[in-house]
Amino acid sequence: MSAPLLDVQAVDAGYGHVGVLRGVSLQVEKGAIVALVGANGAGKSTLLKTISGVLRPTAGRIVFDGAEISGLAPHRIVDAGLMHVAEGRRLFRSQSVRDNLELGLYGGRLDAAAEARRYEFVYELFPMLRERPDHRAGVLSGGQQQMLAIAQALMREPRLLMLDEPSLGLAPVIVDQVIGAIERLRAEGVTILLVEQMVDRALDIADRAYVFQNGVVIGHGAPADIRGGDLIRRAYLGAAG
Amino acid sequence: MDPDLIVNGVVAGSLYALVAMGFNILYRPTNVFNFAQGDLVMLGAMICASAMALWSLPWFVGAALALAAVGLLGLIEERIAVAPVLRRSASGHAWVITTLSFSMIIANLVGRIWGPDPIAVRPPPPLTTETFELFGANVSSYQIALVAATIALAAGVESFYRTRAGKAVMAVAEDREAALLRGIAPESLSRWSFLFGGAIAALAGVLAAPLLYASIGLGPSLLLKGFATAAVGGIGSNRGALIAGYVIGLVEALAAVVLSPGYQMAATFAVMLIVLLIRPHGLFGHPEARSV
Ligand SMILES: Nc1ncnc2c1ncn2[C@@H]1O[C@H](COP(=O)(O)OP(=O)(O)O)[C@@H](O)[C@H]1O
Ligand SMILES: [Mg+2]
């Protein structure tokens, strides 16, 4: 088997003196959708923030495409091809849809023609963005904001897209659209690390899944095995492992 | 209304707007309100005045020296008084103390080096401070140039914010962590902003000097007026700074005549209070952006 695109090796991380993650190891293979599930407060968002460089690991290594990225500044990690769509669709609310997309290109080295193709790509994926280029991001609906947040993260052609609870607070029909877009992205060759509270929806599209509890990986495997075993019940009911 | 009053108000207002623009430029990517801004303005005036008076350099050389030196000092301030405290907590308020300390240090050093005597500064030829009559008002060519230069600068700064780099600065102002995740490096934007904010402060001082003299007294008074202007205009908005500068300049000029010159400061702050009571984010401020 070839080396994984993302390789998290025995990482500890947290906030100041508060440790959250303990010895977390996780691999994401090129072209896969890997799901990360676990109860609220398990440390899923903390792991994504550590991978994207907002937090620094206090132990362990993070390797992306063969190069160590742990300890790099977040913009260097973005340059390496890794994009993180944070929890709660953190858009630039007072700027327009088009400006938010343009900000997704910031720091990239695409020429004008390549940039135009990126706009076209995200407009194909989320046609509603094409219809409202001048709307301020803050006035969009929750689902539209989520689509804009994903589109913004796609502007620089990331090789790995990390999505933190993209379905949070969305109507079921909108969740379907977002899940559909994630599957289309995989078909386009984008690798995806997906954190989701809707465990079944995540397992439906994932190639592999990790289960988190209290800052520790308590198991991983194929979605069918995760569904069949009692890991999920343990992770969500908090029974001691 | 006396036409001279309008001239005085608009000229003073332009200076306040310049000071406020310096504030705004470094506020945007850092959410830091630089208490040393008045001292940077004063230092700009002192350097330009000294270069002209002591070394008999032409105006534009003195001005360029002042802009470069004060821009650099702004950068130093960012490195030692702002970046370290923002690294510890991007939303904390320790910068109040550190930028105030920086202000005290500059004011003290400038007082030691230059002493308290004001230095007269001649405007660059062919401009003069000699007045002539225009539509019933007494104006000088220097005043007209100053007002025009301020408008041009405000337009230039605003058009920068429509570039990709400018939008990135606005993005950092709105959500620093989200900006980090999009590959925007706030530290680098904050360094550039202090460099430019410092240079604009120096420019305000250089332009004020032929009208107000260069002296250490320039710092505190322009800090307060510039602060009031930035707050009334909406912190971060340069269009707002220009309009607010005119409003405050005119109210002040009016107060000096109708009441007495001693009431100028009271008038400024009365305007500020009234505007902020009605519009807490200022005339052109965005409620969505973070505020102080
Ligand atoms: N900014 C923060 N400062 C301190 N502790 C935090 C912060 N964010 C999250 N935590 C704590 O870290 C733990 C993991 O949180 P998080 O990674 O957000 O979990 P999840 O995303 O799985 O719901 C929780 O105990 C939470 O209280
Ligand atoms: Mg979370």
Side-chain angles (χ1 to χ4, degrees):
Chain A
M1 206 178 89
S2 65
L5 182 61
L6 177 72
D7 192 1
V8 177
Q9 304 168 0
V11 158
D12 289 3
Y15 303 88
H17 295 293
V18 185
V20 175
L21 304 178
R22 283 168 294 140
V24 170
S25 292
L26 166 150
Q27 283 79 41
V28 181
E29 299 76 20
K30 210 167 273 176
I33 296 180
V34 171
L36 188 55
V37 299
N40 241 331
K44 306 178 298 294
S45 299
T46 303
L47 177 61
L48 296 199
K49 283 191 243 176
T50 308
I51 296 170
S52 57
V54 175
L55 297 174
R56 276 172 188 237
T58 50
R61 275 160 41 95
I62 301 170
V63 176
F64 181 68
D65 202 17
E68 179 162 359
I69 56 166
S70 27
L72 292 184
H75 67 275
R76 296 273 170 242
I77 294 175
V78 166
D79 288 344
L82 202 155
M83 276 286 188
H84 174 183
V85 180
E87 204 169 355
R89 17 187 179 279
R90 303 273 287 271
L91 291 163
F92 306 113
R93 301 170 59 86
S94 64
Q95 302 206 39
S96 69
V97 167
R98 205 189 148 83
D99 286 350
N100 269 278
L101 293 176
E102 185 182 351
L103 282 164
L105 290 164
Y106 184 87
R109 286 192 187 75
L110 302 178
D111 61 30
E115 288 190 350
R117 284 196 296 276
R118 293 312 291 168
Y119 283 106
E120 199 45 44
F121 177 79
V122 298
Y123 288 152
E124 288 279 305
L125 193 63
F126 301 118
M128 106 25 224
L129 295 176
R130 195 200 298 271
E131 291 152 23
R132 347 182 133 58
D134 298 319
H135 283 43
R136 280 192 303 123
V139 305
L140 299 178
S141 70
Q144 292 170 340
Q145 288 186 5
Q146 188 61 61
M147 292 175 198
L148 178 56
I150 295 173
Q152 186 186 49
L154 287 169
M155 294 304 284
R156 279 184 64 180
E157 294 194 273
R159 285 177 297 159
L160 175 66
L161 188 64
M162 303 196 293
L163 302 171
D164 198 345
E165 305 209 20
S167 75
L168 195 71
L170 303 187
V173 49
I174 309 293
V175 175
D176 290 343
Q177 287 180 29
V178 170
I179 296 279
I182 294 171
E183 289 192 280
R184 276 190 58 197
L185 287 172
R186 170 176 51 190
E188 300 271 352
V190 183
T191 306
I192 288 158
L193 178 56
L194 172 66
V195 168
E196 238 330 314
Q197 282 292 346
M198 298 185 133
V199 177
D200 279 326
R201 301 303 301 268
L203 293 180
D204 281 346
I205 58 167
D207 298 295
R208 287 193 321 112
Y210 284 80
V211 184
F212 251 58
Q213 188 185 22
N214 293 332
V216 175
V217 174
I218 59 169
H220 60 98
D225 300 333
I226 303 274
R227 254 198 262 264
D230 70 340
L231 279 172
I232 297 286
R233 192 181 49 78
R234 264 165 59 201
Y236 282 88
L237 298 182
Chain B
M1 198 154 98
D2 184 355
D4 285 351
L5 234 128
I6 298 177
V7 171
N8 292 340
V10 167
V11 169
S14 298
L15 289 176
Y16 304 157
L18 279 168
V19 179
M21 278 188 248
F23 267 131
N24 286 340
I25 286 171
L26 33 97
Y27 174 81
R28 269 181 164 161
T30 56
N31 285 322
V32 163
F33 210 80
N34 181 21
F35 281 92
Q37 198 70 17
D39 304 279
L40 298 182
V41 173
M42 177 267 293
L43 190 62
M46 297 304 273
I47 292 175
C48 179
S50 306
M52 291 172 67
L54 301 181
W55 307 319
S56 345
L57 291 169
W59 179 89
F60 81 92
V61 177
L65 268 179
L67 263 65
V70 177
L72 208 62
L73 191 65
L75 186 61
I76 293 171
E77 180 185 7
E78 197 273 342
R79 293 286 79 201
I80 66 177
V82 176
V85 300
L86 288 187
R87 209 170 296 131
R88 233 166 288 142
S89 162
S91 55
H93 289 89
W95 51 263
V96 173
I97 308 296
T98 53
T99 64
L100 201 57
S101 310
F102 200 81
S103 151
M104 300 297 174
I105 294 170
I106 301 177
N108 197 262
L109 288 180
V110 171
R112 292 247 145 217
I113 297 170
W114 272 279
D117 296 333
I119 311 172
V121 176
R122 288 176 165 287
L127 299 176
T128 74
T129 46
E130 308 274 313
T131 57
F132 59 90
E133 216 183 286
L134 184 71
F135 305 122
N138 292 302
V139 293
S140 69
S141 57
Y142 184 70
Q143 286 175 321
I144 293 172
L146 172 84
V147 171
T150 306
I151 294 171
L153 190 72
V157 172
E158 282 298 292
S159 68
F160 164 75
Y161 287 110
R162 284 191 290 276
T163 66
R164 187 173 295 173
K167 288 171 191 169
V169 170
M170 300 303 290
V172 172
E174 207 173 322
D175 188 338
R176 193 180 171 92
E177 187 174 295
L180 275 178
L181 293 180
R182 289 297 156 267
I184 299 168
E187 295 83 11
S188 132
L189 295 177
S190 118
R191 282 196 294 273
W192 281 105
S193 296
F194 268 76
L195 186 74
F196 279 108
I200 301 259
L203 184 66
V206 166
L207 293 178
L211 300 173
L212 305 176
Y213 296 99
S215 82
I216 54 171
L218 216 51
S221 78
L222 284 179
L223 174 78
L224 286 175
K225 303 279 178 64
F227 166 75
T229 304
V232 168
I235 289 176
S237 167
N238 294 300
R239 196 164 25 127
L242 199 59
I243 308 285
Y246 295 152
V247 170
I248 291 179
L250 288 169
V251 167
E252 245 183 33
L254 207 62
V257 173
V258 176
L259 303 167
S260 95
Y263 288 109
Q264 283 193 348
M265 209 53 142
T268 304
F269 284 89
V271 170
M272 184 171 98
L273 278 178
I274 292 167
V275 170
L276 294 187
L277 280 174
I278 301 169
R279 291 185 61 93
H281 297 277
L283 296 174
F284 290 87
H286 290 289
E288 299 228 23
R290 269 185 283 166
S291 55
V292 252

